[in-house]
Structures are given as C-alpha cells and as structure tokens.
Amino acid sequence: LIACLWIEGPSIFPYQTIYYTNRIFNRLAQMNSYSPETTPEGTCGVTAELTCSIGDDLWTMDERTLLHKVVEDMEAEGLVRADRVKDAMLLRETHGYPIYDLAFEEHLHRLRQAVHEIPNLYVSGRQGMFNYAQMHYGVSSGMVVAQHLLQGGGKPALPARGTEDA
C-alpha cells in the first residue's frame, strides 16, 4: 500500500527517505527531495509505504481510516501536524517487486528480448527492466533512453547478461 500525502510547506524532514520498524509504514519518501517539480510550489509530497498481504487487515482497511493512521504515526514522529495535510490518497498495488523462481534468469532474458524487439517500446528502470537495482541505475537507464529518443537513434542495446544492469 502506498499512502500519498500533500503537506503544506516545502519539507517535513531533511532527507529523501526514512525507514521505520515501529510504525504503520515502513518507509517515508519525500518526493520533492528528488525533484521540486513533483509537487506544487510550497507543498511537500510524501509517500508512505505500508507492507501487507492482499486480504489482511491492513489491505482491507478503508482508505480514510488508513490515511488517518499514517498521519497519526507521522505526528508521533514529530514530522507533521494533521492540519498541514492538504490532501491524501491511497494506492493499492498487488505487485510492488518481482517474485523470482529458480529459473527466473532464463525467463527474464526471454522476456527482455521479446520486449526489446517491439520497435516503438522503450523500457528502463526497476519496473521496466524487471530488476531491483539501485536507484541511480533506474535514473541513468531512463536518461539513456531519453538521449536515444532525442537524438533519433536506434534503441539502446540490452544490457549484457550477468551484469548488475541486466
């Protein structure tokens, strides 16, 4: 589950991301720390990630109650006052990360090859490459695709098998 909050003010903490083990959320990310263009001026965008299983108590909790609990925990951490939260929404995603099996590398190679052969489809980053790589890789792979598109060149080559990028 991902709770998205728009909070009055430019920032609620001096970091991009904070991890927790004792709150309803396990990670808070301040989106405008990545880029000021992600939120309206004077607004801080925060995503709170909540780990759960489909159908459990957290997953089935109604949106309003869940968002209230997220804000309560953020208040308990001294990050925000509830009256500064201008808007909020909840995203329910069933698959946040890929799940591998013992033969995943071969399946993954075939999948990437098939996607690469589609002439007008460009993919990059964690989700596009089905790779839980470091964030800098996701950003740089997107920049490579953008550069190729701007220059009118062909598709970038698939990363070599057995590398971190693959």
Side-chain angles (χ1 to χ4, degrees):
L1 299 172
I2 301 171
C4 305
L5 300 99
W6 290 267
I7 302 168
E8 180 182 296
S11 170
I12 64 167
F13 48 76
Y15 315 103
Q16 292 177 333
T17 306
I18 301 177
Y19 293 86
Y20 292 89
T21 58
N22 61 336
R23 297 293 177 194
I24 193 170
F25 43 78
N26 55 308
R27 177 166 64 176
L28 295 177
Q30 192 166 246
M31 304 317 290
N32 50 308
S33 292
Y34 294 98
S35 170
E37 297 173 4
T38 60
T39 58
E41 188 173 331
T43 303
C44 175
V46 175
T47 58
E49 296 180 27
L50 297 83
T51 302
C52 63
S53 295
I54 297 171
D56 71 11
D57 291 343
L58 201 55
W59 180 267
T60 58
M61 189 179 295
D62 72 275
E63 181 172 356
R64 185 180 177 120
T65 302
L66 191 84
L67 290 170
H68 179 74
K69 288 179 178 288
V70 167
V71 173
E72 275 185 337
D73 272 5
M74 290 174 69
E75 282 183 305
E77 288 293 325
L79 298 173
V80 70
R81 290 188 335 253
D83 64 340
R84 289 186 58 206
V85 178
K86 298 304 175 192
D87 201 0
M89 65 180 275
L90 183 68
L91 302 173
R92 295 179 197 269
E93 293 294 329
T94 57
H95 294 86
Y97 296 103
I99 299 171
Y100 302 125
D101 67 20
L102 293 177
F104 86 92
E105 289 177 332
E106 186 54 39
H107 297 307
L108 184 58
H109 176 72
R110 285 196 326 268
L111 173 65
R112 286 182 177 159
Q113 190 63 47
V115 168
H116 190 73
E117 290 173 8
I118 301 170
N120 61 344
L121 179 61
Y122 293 79
V123 297
S124 66
R126 287 180 173 178
Q127 298 293 3
M129 293 301 293
F130 307 98
N131 183 358
Y132 187 64
Q134 297 296 324
M135 192 63 204
H136 69 276
Y137 167 72
V139 172
S140 66
S141 68
M143 294 174 77
V144 167
V145 169
Q147 183 179 26
H148 279 269
L149 289 170
L150 288 171
Q151 294 174 352
K155 285 178 110 170
L158 279 174
R161 290 174 82 170
T163 66
E164 179 183 306
D165 296 346

